[in-house]
Amino acid sequence: MEGEQIGRLLRQAADHAIRYRSELPSRPQRPLHGYADALAAFDGPLPETGEAPGVVVDELAARAEPGLNVTTGARFFGWVIGGSHPVGVAADWMTSAWGQNAGNHHAMPSAAAAETVAARWLLDLLDLPRESSVGFVTGATVANFVCLAAARGAVLRRVGWDVDANGLFGAPSISVLIGDDAHTTVFSALQFLGLGHDRLIRVATDSQGQMEPEDFARRAADVRGPAIVILQAGQINTGGFDRFTELVPIARGVGAWIHVDSAFGAWARACPAFRHFTEGLDACDSWATDGHKWLQTPYDCGYAIVRDSEAHRRAMTIAASYLPTAMEGERDPSHFVPELSRRARGFATWAIIRHLGREGIATMVERHCRVARLIADELRGENAIAVLNDVVLNQVLVRFGADELAERGDELTRATIIRLQRDGVAFAGGAKWRGREVMRISVISWLIDDAAGKATAAAIISAWRGVRETSQD
């Protein structure tokens, strides 16, 4: 392809993207196609000959768009998914066009430099120890993995075992203390690291999914040898926070490495109105958080933050004779993540922080939490709708048929979720909480404001009334 052809093709793709974004307000807040329809749209035999670039781009848009969920819309509350802010999208487009592999700082200096500065800004925004190192990963799942890999190496090193060299064969046992309502990705990370997702010391949690300090203290008292404690900032269903000021001293008393799964809850530290929920969080050893949630970067983007940068490097560094070494004052991005070939995620992170600034991020977090309370208040006013959580952050947990028997309430809750998604005014998903069906509303897209919150509450109430009327016929 020649330069002029390349330009036309990229503008054509941009036109599709711009049109898609501009049509979002008029689209139902759900996919128009299910998986079977989407599969049929893409399916076909392996092409024997290639097609013209412009035809391929047009076909991709036509086949994909009906099966896209409106995650970047103003009334998407299905999961804790940010809205891919246009500034981040623009930076991400350029990142794709530049084609930089953020594997090392000599070959791709701008990619590495953007990460270095963005990492410093992140530590400042979240007010975490400034000596911490930051790995730019795909999301909180891998961020938890990276942080816990550093933790595993560090706690074993303290008792004379080099896990990076010798693996876990014959290694001293590690005690892992974790709350009953920890996110599933943390259990997966422990599984990937050979620590097992069942071989854990589970700590009781309260009605908000927060670890019970008394039970934690009892279980920690029996710990001997290497230990890792996993706390939580922003429980995925309730938004609740573990009590760091009570739990951290207990964990320190048994010499544990303290990791915090804070995929979205860490961003409460960026907002003065909600920072108090995270008091004591900065006294921990590592933190996993996402960029594609509250920071609104495009997918995929997460951050593994580790106070002990040497432990971080030991767990992640990949060495080879063809790879350059980092000199004094240099930061090699590959020393903090588990892959050499990866996207240059620092560009979009740098651009979003530069655009929003400390004040803009704090204002957005505060607005989203206000909208969550608004939605909860509207729903509480409707007969037989129960809000199950203390709405302390951006999560609202709802159950329908609160005046019915539990099994009947499950049926009505499932039916209300289905009807809401079918109606398409707003999108929220389902979950299980304490063994019962619930609707979970996550307020986190940059587009969401009070008007979107009111429209969503009205749509949920309308769906519930429709289900109730039908069920009584």
Side-chain angles (χ1 to χ4, degrees):
M1 295 176 67
E2 301 296 329
E4 188 175 332
Q5 292 174 303
I6 294 172
R8 278 200 304 271
L9 182 67
L10 294 179
R11 281 189 288 273
Q12 182 181 344
D15 286 343
H16 280 299
I18 293 165
R19 174 190 49 75
Y20 172 76
R21 281 290 181 106
S22 68
E23 291 175 353
L24 288 180
S26 61
R27 275 191 58 161
Q29 298 286 295
R30 56 171 168 76
L32 302 177
H33 282 178
Y35 173 73
D37 292 330
L39 182 60
F42 277 99
D43 206 3
L46 171 69
E48 295 297 331
T49 59
E51 293 201 52
V55 172
V56 173
V57 168
D58 285 343
E59 282 202 9
L60 176 60
R63 294 172 190 238
E65 286 182 14
L68 299 180
N69 207 328
V70 191
T71 54
T72 52
R75 295 184 303 280
F76 180 86
F77 301 87
W79 300 279
V80 191
I81 292 179
S84 293
H85 194 287
V87 170
V89 171
D92 204 52
W93 281 355
M94 291 192 289
T95 300
S96 292
W98 292 334
Q100 301 294 286
N101 177 355
N104 72 75
H105 59 301
H106 281 295
M108 314 293 175
S110 286
E115 279 195 13
T116 299
V117 174
R120 190 176 74 241
W121 288 354
L122 285 166
L123 294 175
D124 196 354
L125 269 170
L126 302 177
D127 193 19
L128 293 175
R130 303 308 193 267
E131 71 272 18
S132 302
S133 50
V134 182
F136 287 66
V137 293
T138 57
T141 302
V142 178
N144 280 315
F145 169 83
V146 170
C147 291
L148 291 170
R152 181 187 66 174
V155 298
L156 287 176
R157 194 177 184 86
R158 292 171 192 166
V159 293
W161 187 270
D162 185 347
V163 71
D164 301 308
N166 301 318
L168 291 172
F169 298 101
S173 179
I174 300 174
S175 298
V176 179
L177 289 84
I178 189 169
D180 269 337
D181 290 302
H183 194 272
T184 184
T185 58
V186 183
F187 294 99
S188 295
L190 293 167
Q191 173 190 334
F192 302 155
L193 288 165
L195 299 176
H197 54 62
D198 289 338
R199 191 183 156 279
L200 308 168
I201 301 171
R202 307 228 2 185
V203 179
T205 51
D206 64 16
S207 64
Q208 304 301 305
Q210 299 162 152
M211 198 181 284
E212 293 278 12
E214 296 81 4
D215 191 51
F216 178 69
R218 282 193 296 271
R219 295 181 183 279
D222 295 330
V223 168
R224 301 291 183 272
I228 299 171
V229 167
I230 301 172
L231 304 180
Q232 190 166 214
Q235 206 283 330
I236 191 64
N237 290 309
T238 69
F241 292 79
D242 283 335
R243 300 173 183 87
F244 302 104
T245 55
E246 296 180 51
L247 299 171
V248 169
I250 299 170
R252 288 284 178 237
V254 297
W257 176 294
I258 310 169
H259 171 66
V260 186
D261 174 24
S262 51
F264 62 98
W267 294 93
R269 291 182 67 78
C271 181
F274 296 94
R275 182 186 169 92
H276 61 282
F277 290 121
T278 69
E279 186 180 352
L281 177 143
D282 55 323
C284 299
D285 297 299
S286 58
W287 307 264
T289 193
D290 270 322
H292 54 232
K293 287 186 170 63
W294 238 324
L295 194 57
Q296 312 295 322
T297 63
Y299 272 83
D300 52 15
C301 187
Y303 314 110
I305 305 173
V306 181
R307 183 194 295 268
D308 184 345
S309 61
E310 286 305 312
H312 195 170
R313 283 191 183 92
R314 281 195 299 268
M316 291 292 120
T317 296
I318 303 171
S321 61
Y322 64 86
L323 295 174
T325 56
M327 302 301 182
E328 184 70 28
E330 295 180 336
R331 176 187 183 276
D332 188 327
S334 69
H335 290 177
F336 306 102
V337 295
E339 70 262 282
L340 283 177
S341 298
R342 64 183 180 88
R343 189 167 189 77
R345 301 182 183 98
F347 291 130
T349 300
W350 183 93
I352 285 284
I353 297 175
R354 183 70 186 267
H355 169 63
L356 293 176
R358 189 193 306 273
E359 183 179 318
I361 292 167
T363 299
M364 178 173 58
V365 171
E366 187 167 8
R367 181 178 75 249
H368 289 162
C369 297
R370 183 183 71 240
V371 172
R373 294 193 301 272
L374 181 156
I375 292 172
D377 289 343
E378 293 285 319
L379 296 181
R380 286 192 191 101
E382 181 69 15
N383 184 44
I385 296 180
V387 175
L388 303 182
N389 66 317
D390 299 332
V391 184
V392 297
L393 203 62
N394 65 317
Q395 300 291 93
V396 185
L397 211 57
V398 187
R399 187 164 166 84
F400 302 88
D403 55 350
E404 303 274 359
L405 294 174
E407 291 75 12
R408 180 61 174 155
D410 286 343
E411 294 173 8
L412 293 169
T413 299
R414 281 193 296 266
T416 303
I417 293 167
I418 291 169
R419 182 155 186 151
L420 177 72
Q421 293 180 358
R422 186 195 67 197
D423 292 346
V425 175
F427 189 98
K432 281 204 170 182
W433 182 245
R434 301 298 187 250
R436 291 299 170 192
E437 299 290 335
V438 294
M439 175 186 285
R440 193 178 68 193
I441 301 167
S442 301
V443 185
I444 206 160
S445 171
W446 66 278
L447 283 165
I448 294 171
D449 57 13
D450 289 7
K454 289 177 180 177
T456 297
I460 293 170
I461 290 170
S462 175
W464 161 237
R465 288 175 178 174
V467 166
R468 188 112 200 218
E469 289 170 7
T470 302
S471 69
Q472 292 172 346
D473 289 345

